[in-house]
């Protein structure tokens, strides 16, 4: 009997990358599934045929036994948290959970890709689309590969057979008071798992990958260590890992116009920005449109953002993408602009509060041989089409 047969689960916020994947797996495991969201999203393509309602405010019809609520709506609707359901899903199948400050989507995707190509039929729940795997979530009979989240400490509730921590950094300033507090969470979590991998203790792989950058060679090292713990040959896994072309919005090439390459990335922490800029550096100029994500992160890391962006050649910064936070007086993207100017006086730099303004600024300065990077975890990726259109 499927492990969730007889359950009726309604998902509030079903259109997100997380809950849409949970819903897909729950349906495959026998549950009746439905949900609500404000708008239709690409993640819902895999859930066609399910009862999904679209409305400005959350909807929970009568007759559903369980309600699972996205973090974004936890103050509006009563129900089970996403982390509670995820903990149950992880407990129902042999699981590999990947967590860490940076690189967890890519590392988890690398693991799922290798297991898939090696014939293990993995299930997976990832934070981004992986074109070579057909999406961000899938049911399968093999290992369940999951991307975990430390932002609200919910990673502590997951008990996988194999736990992977890519690296440790202080990124979520409203939840953690210090780096030591983040490290303690991860160390305790690793200790509670059957087997563990610390990616920051491994040497990066020494072979060429299809995805660029030192950081991806480190991600690959963590992925191979996990695959080896799962009982597969490291050499066999390394051979197929060379073919991995990345996840959506992780240094994703989006097009070329007028001899200018446009690349989009989810990078939203100073270390990630610096790593992405270094990864694509090939002798030509790099123009960056950066959208800060969260007021708390912008306030605490403005100086570090400035230092990272100073390694580019031309920079435009938009206003803060608020996500789950309320605005904070005096905290705007201008803090980052000032930090870049301080780090590299005289650099070609612009404060462009609207994404559209930033796209126009960079398109007007790009020339053949340049690369344009759109960086951020919000909606800065909508600038890609604007930039390509202007360049054409």
């Amino acid at each position: 009997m499927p492990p969730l047969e007889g359950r009726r689960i309604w998902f509030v916020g079903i259109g997100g990358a997380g809950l849409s994947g949970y819903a897909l797996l729950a349906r495959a495991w026998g549950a009746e599934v439905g949900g609500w969201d404000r708008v239709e999203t690409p993640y819902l393509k895999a859930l066609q045929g399910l009862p999904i309602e679209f409305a400005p405010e959350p909807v929970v019809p009568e007759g559903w036994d369980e309600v699972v609520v996205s973090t974004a709506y936890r103050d509006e609707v009563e129900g089970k948290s996403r982390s509670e359901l995820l903990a149950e899903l992880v407990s129902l199948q042999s699981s590999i959970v990947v967590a860490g400050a940076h690189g967890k989507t890519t590392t988890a995707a690398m693991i799922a890709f290798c297991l898939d190509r090696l014939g293990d039929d993995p299930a997976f729940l990832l934070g981004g689309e992986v074109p070579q795997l057909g999406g961000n979530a899938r049911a399968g009979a093999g290992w369940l590969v999951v991307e975990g989240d430390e932002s609200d400490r919910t990673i502590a509730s997951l008990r996988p057979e194999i736990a992977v921590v890519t690296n440790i950094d202080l990124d979520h300033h409203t939840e953690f008071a210090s780096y030591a507090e983040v490290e303690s969470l991860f160390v305790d979590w690793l200790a509670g798992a059957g087997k563990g991998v610390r990616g920051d203790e491994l040497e990066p792989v020494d072979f060429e990958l299809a995805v660029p950058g030192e950081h991806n060679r480190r991600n690959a090292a963590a992925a191979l260590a996990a695959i080896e713990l799962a009982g597969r040959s490291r050499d066999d896994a390394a051979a197929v890992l060379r073919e991995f072309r990345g996840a959506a919005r992780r240094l994703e090439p989006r097009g070329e116009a007028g001899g200018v390459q446009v690349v989009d990335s989810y990078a939203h922490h100073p270390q990630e920005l610096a790593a992405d800029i270094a990864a694509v550096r090939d002798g030509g100029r790099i123009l960056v449109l950066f959208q800060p994500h969260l007021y708390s992160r912008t306030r605490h890391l403005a100086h570090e953002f400035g230092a990272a962006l100073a390694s580019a050649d031309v920079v435009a910064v938009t206003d803060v993408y608020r996500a789950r936070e309320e605005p904070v007086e005096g905290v705007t993207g201008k803090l980052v602009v000032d930090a870049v100017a301080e780090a590299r006086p005289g650099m070609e730099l612009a404060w462009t509060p609207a994404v559209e303004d930033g796209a126009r600024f960079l398109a007007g300065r790009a020339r053949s041989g340049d690369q344009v990077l759109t960086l951020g975890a919000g909606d800065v990726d909508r600038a890609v089409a604007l930039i390509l259109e202007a360049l054409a």
Side-chain angles (χ1 to χ4, degrees):
M1 175 185 295
L4 299 184
E5 188 168 337
R7 305 261 289 268
R8 303 185 75 242
I9 308 174
W10 184 264
F11 292 84
V12 175
I14 195 170
L19 285 198
S20 62
Y22 300 0
L24 184 151
L25 198 57
R27 178 176 67 170
W29 288 355
E32 185 178 345
V33 170
W36 163 89
D37 217 311
R38 288 200 169 109
V39 296
E40 189 165 0
T41 72
Y43 294 110
L44 293 175
K45 291 179 182 177
L47 300 176
Q48 289 182 349
L50 295 184
I52 298 176
E53 297 193 27
F54 300 102
E57 300 300 326
V59 172
V60 182
E62 293 184 5
W64 290 85
D65 304 328
E66 302 174 52
V67 178
V68 177
V69 184
S70 166
T71 303
Y73 304 105
R74 60 188 175 190
D75 295 331
E76 301 178 45
V77 180
E78 292 186 5
K80 181 182 294 186
S81 70
R82 61 169 185 80
S83 60
E84 290 178 275
L85 179 61
L86 182 57
E88 182 180 3
L89 297 177
V90 167
S91 73
L92 292 173
Q93 192 160 328
S94 295
S95 300
I96 302 170
V97 175
V98 181
H102 318 298
K104 49 185 173 285
T105 298
T106 297
T107 303
M110 286 176 166
I111 295 169
F113 175 80
C114 288
L115 292 175
D116 178 75
R117 295 303 191 263
L118 293 172
D120 284 353
D121 187 28
F124 51 85
L125 297 169
L126 309 174
E129 295 278 325
V130 182
Q132 289 171 294
L133 291 174
N136 75 305
R138 189 175 78 193
W143 287 88
L144 170 61
V145 183
V146 172
E147 179 181 339
D149 181 19
E150 90 283 4
S151 65
D152 55 3
R153 300 178 187 264
T154 54
I155 189 71
S157 66
L158 305 183
R159 289 289 177 263
E161 292 188 25
I162 300 173
V164 180
V165 175
T166 57
N167 45 63
I168 299 173
D169 204 346
L170 177 57
D171 186 24
H172 301 283
H173 297 82
T174 58
E175 185 66 39
F176 300 97
S178 66
Y179 174 94
E181 199 173 336
V182 184
E183 184 175 41
S184 177
L185 173 71
F186 280 131
V187 168
D188 291 346
W189 179 63
L190 282 169
K195 302 172 183 176
V197 173
R198 277 286 297 260
D200 53 7
E201 295 178 349
L202 303 173
E203 291 296 320
V205 299
D206 58 2
F207 55 85
E208 186 175 350
L209 297 168
V211 287
E214 172 82 2
H215 63 300
N216 276 321
R217 290 193 292 274
R218 293 188 177 279
N219 293 336
L224 289 178
I227 292 167
E228 208 168 10
L229 289 177
R232 300 298 306 202
S233 161
R234 180 184 180 89
D235 290 342
D236 290 347
V240 298
L241 185 55
R242 289 174 169 85
E243 303 169 12
F244 176 74
R245 295 193 297 272
R249 300 215 63 216
R250 273 66 178 181
L251 280 183
E252 180 184 11
R254 293 290 301 275
E256 178 183 347
V260 177
Q261 297 276 352
V262 180
V263 179
D264 180 49
S265 178
Y266 191 74
H268 55 276
H269 183 277
Q271 285 195 21
E272 297 167 357
L273 268 61
D276 279 0
I277 293 169
V280 301
R281 178 68 73 182
D282 63 358
R285 296 196 311 162
I286 298 175
L287 290 67
V288 171
L289 176 59
F290 172 55
Q291 182 186 56
H293 185 261
L294 298 178
Y295 296 99
S296 58
R297 184 182 290 127
T298 304
R299 179 177 60 186
H300 284 92
L301 298 178
H303 178 77
E304 290 81 357
F305 278 126
L309 290 168
S311 64
D313 298 286
V314 181
V315 171
V317 181
T318 76
D319 212 345
V320 179
Y321 187 84
R322 61 179 289 182
R324 58 186 176 271
E325 293 184 347
E326 293 299 320
V328 176
E329 186 176 354
V331 178
T332 70
K334 183 65 163 51
L335 291 178
V336 177
V337 173
D338 293 342
V340 178
E342 180 182 352
R344 189 175 166 188
M347 180 181 189
E348 192 166 6
L349 175 66
W351 161 228
T352 57
V355 168
E356 292 80 2
D357 295 337
R360 282 191 292 270
F361 175 81
L362 293 186
R365 285 155 180 79
R367 55 179 185 256
S368 182
D370 290 347
Q371 292 186 81
V372 175
L373 269 63
T374 54
L375 304 177
D379 63 354
V380 68
D381 58 319
R382 63 191 174 89
V384 169
L386 301 174
I387 294 168
L388 288 171
E389 182 180 0
L391 289 172

